[in-house]
mmCIF file of all heavy atoms in Angstrom:
data_model
loop_
_atom_site.group_PDB
_atom_site.id
_atom_site.type_symbol
_atom_site.label_atom_id
_atom_site.label_comp_id
_atom_site.label_asym_id
_atom_site.label_seq_id
_atom_site.Cartn_x
_atom_site.Cartn_y
_atom_site.Cartn_z
ATOM 1 N N ASP A 184 -48.636 87.241 85.971
ATOM 2 C CA ASP A 184 -50.099 87.317 85.925
ATOM 3 C C ASP A 184 -50.752 86.021 86.417
ATOM 4 O O ASP A 184 -51.893 86.001 86.835
ATOM 5 C CB ASP A 184 -50.576 87.551 84.475
ATOM 6 C CG ASP A 184 -50.173 88.930 83.995
ATOM 7 O OD1 ASP A 184 -49.722 89.753 84.846
ATOM 8 O OD2 ASP A 184 -50.278 89.169 82.784
ATOM 9 N N GLY A 185 -50.001 84.906 86.368
ATOM 10 C CA GLY A 185 -50.563 83.638 86.743
ATOM 11 C C GLY A 185 -50.549 83.367 88.264
ATOM 12 O O GLY A 185 -51.022 82.315 88.734
ATOM 13 N N PHE A 186 -50.016 84.308 89.022
ATOM 14 C CA PHE A 186 -49.914 84.123 90.482
ATOM 15 C C PHE A 186 -50.926 85.030 91.178
ATOM 16 O O PHE A 186 -50.849 86.271 91.062
ATOM 17 C CB PHE A 186 -48.504 84.403 90.945
ATOM 18 C CG PHE A 186 -47.496 83.385 90.486
ATOM 19 C CD1 PHE A 186 -46.888 83.509 89.253
ATOM 20 C CD2 PHE A 186 -47.224 82.263 91.265
ATOM 21 C CE1 PHE A 186 -46.009 82.553 88.806
ATOM 22 C CE2 PHE A 186 -46.329 81.268 90.806
ATOM 23 C CZ PHE A 186 -45.726 81.429 89.579
ATOM 24 N N VAL A 187 -51.858 84.414 91.874
ATOM 25 C CA VAL A 187 -53.050 85.114 92.326
ATOM 26 C C VAL A 187 -52.721 86.228 93.339
ATOM 27 O O VAL A 187 -53.255 87.345 93.254
ATOM 28 C CB VAL A 187 -54.087 84.122 92.899
ATOM 29 C CG1 VAL A 187 -53.630 83.414 94.154
ATOM 30 C CG2 VAL A 187 -55.424 84.797 93.102
ATOM 31 N N ASN A 188 -51.791 85.987 94.265
ATOM 32 C CA ASN A 188 -51.470 86.998 95.248
ATOM 33 C C ASN A 188 -50.695 88.166 94.610
ATOM 34 O O ASN A 188 -50.915 89.320 94.945
ATOM 35 C CB ASN A 188 -50.689 86.396 96.415
ATOM 36 C CG ASN A 188 -51.503 85.361 97.151
ATOM 37 O OD1 ASN A 188 -52.692 85.538 97.367
ATOM 38 N ND2 ASN A 188 -50.879 84.241 97.521
ATOM 39 N N ILE A 189 -49.753 87.794 93.768
ATOM 40 C CA ILE A 189 -48.982 88.840 93.075
ATOM 41 C C ILE A 189 -49.922 89.669 92.207
ATOM 42 O O ILE A 189 -49.822 90.892 92.187
ATOM 43 C CB ILE A 189 -47.853 88.206 92.236
ATOM 44 C CG1 ILE A 189 -46.791 87.600 93.099
ATOM 45 C CG2 ILE A 189 -47.257 89.276 91.305
ATOM 46 C CD1 ILE A 189 -45.649 86.930 92.317
ATOM 47 N N ARG A 190 -50.833 89.040 91.520
ATOM 48 C CA ARG A 190 -51.739 89.747 90.632
ATOM 49 C C ARG A 190 -52.593 90.728 91.414
ATOM 50 O O ARG A 190 -52.785 91.892 91.056
ATOM 51 C CB ARG A 190 -52.605 88.745 89.881
ATOM 52 C CG ARG A 190 -53.338 89.328 88.682
ATOM 53 C CD ARG A 190 -53.954 88.296 87.802
ATOM 54 N NE ARG A 190 -54.991 87.568 88.511
ATOM 55 C CZ ARG A 190 -55.028 86.232 88.610
ATOM 56 N NH1 ARG A 190 -54.078 85.503 88.085
ATOM 57 N NH2 ARG A 190 -55.979 85.634 89.288
ATOM 58 N N ARG A 191 -53.155 90.256 92.557
ATOM 59 C CA ARG A 191 -53.976 91.136 93.390
ATOM 60 C C ARG A 191 -53.160 92.298 93.926
ATOM 61 O O ARG A 191 -53.565 93.470 93.863
ATOM 62 C CB ARG A 191 -54.578 90.327 94.568
ATOM 63 C CG ARG A 191 -55.360 91.140 95.556
ATOM 64 C CD ARG A 191 -55.573 90.435 96.869
ATOM 65 N NE ARG A 191 -54.365 89.860 97.479
ATOM 66 C CZ ARG A 191 -53.422 90.601 98.059
ATOM 67 N NH1 ARG A 191 -53.507 91.888 98.158
ATOM 68 N NH2 ARG A 191 -52.372 89.982 98.592
ATOM 69 N N TRP A 192 -51.952 91.994 94.447
ATOM 70 C CA TRP A 192 -51.079 93.048 94.997
ATOM 71 C C TRP A 192 -50.736 94.080 93.910
ATOM 72 O O TRP A 192 -50.795 95.298 94.166
ATOM 73 C CB TRP A 192 -49.811 92.425 95.581
ATOM 74 C CG TRP A 192 -48.756 93.442 95.778
ATOM 75 C CD1 TRP A 192 -48.610 94.281 96.844
ATOM 76 C CD2 TRP A 192 -47.727 93.806 94.826
ATOM 77 N NE1 TRP A 192 -47.548 95.158 96.606
ATOM 78 C CE2 TRP A 192 -47.003 94.870 95.386
ATOM 79 C CE3 TRP A 192 -47.392 93.326 93.547
ATOM 80 C CZ2 TRP A 192 -45.931 95.457 94.743
ATOM 81 C CZ3 TRP A 192 -46.298 93.917 92.891
ATOM 82 C CH2 TRP A 192 -45.602 94.973 93.488
ATOM 83 N N ARG A 193 -50.419 93.590 92.737
ATOM 84 C CA ARG A 193 -49.983 94.494 91.646
ATOM 85 C C ARG A 193 -51.100 95.414 91.237
ATOM 86 O O ARG A 193 -50.919 96.614 91.052
ATOM 87 C CB ARG A 193 -49.472 93.658 90.496
ATOM 88 C CG ARG A 193 -48.794 94.519 89.408
ATOM 89 C CD ARG A 193 -48.427 93.658 88.219
ATOM 90 N NE ARG A 193 -47.569 94.413 87.323
ATOM 91 C CZ ARG A 193 -47.268 94.010 86.085
ATOM 92 N NH1 ARG A 193 -47.699 92.829 85.671
ATOM 93 N NH2 ARG A 193 -46.477 94.740 85.325
ATOM 94 N N ALA A 194 -52.306 94.841 91.100
ATOM 95 C CA ALA A 194 -53.466 95.673 90.697
ATOM 96 C C ALA A 194 -53.733 96.732 91.769
ATOM 97 O O ALA A 194 -54.072 97.891 91.445
ATOM 98 C CB ALA A 194 -54.700 94.773 90.536
ATOM 99 N N SER A 195 -53.539 96.395 93.008
ATOM 100 C CA SER A 195 -53.782 97.367 94.090
ATOM 101 C C SER A 195 -52.674 98.423 94.088
ATOM 102 O O SER A 195 -52.956 99.616 94.180
ATOM 103 C CB SER A 195 -53.826 96.574 95.419
ATOM 104 O OG SER A 195 -53.677 97.455 96.485
#
Side-chain angles (χ1 to χ4, degrees):
D184 294 347
F186 291 87
V187 66
N188 297 320
I189 292 179
R190 196 169 62 235
R191 175 197 49 75
W192 163 83
R193 189 184 190 191
S195 164

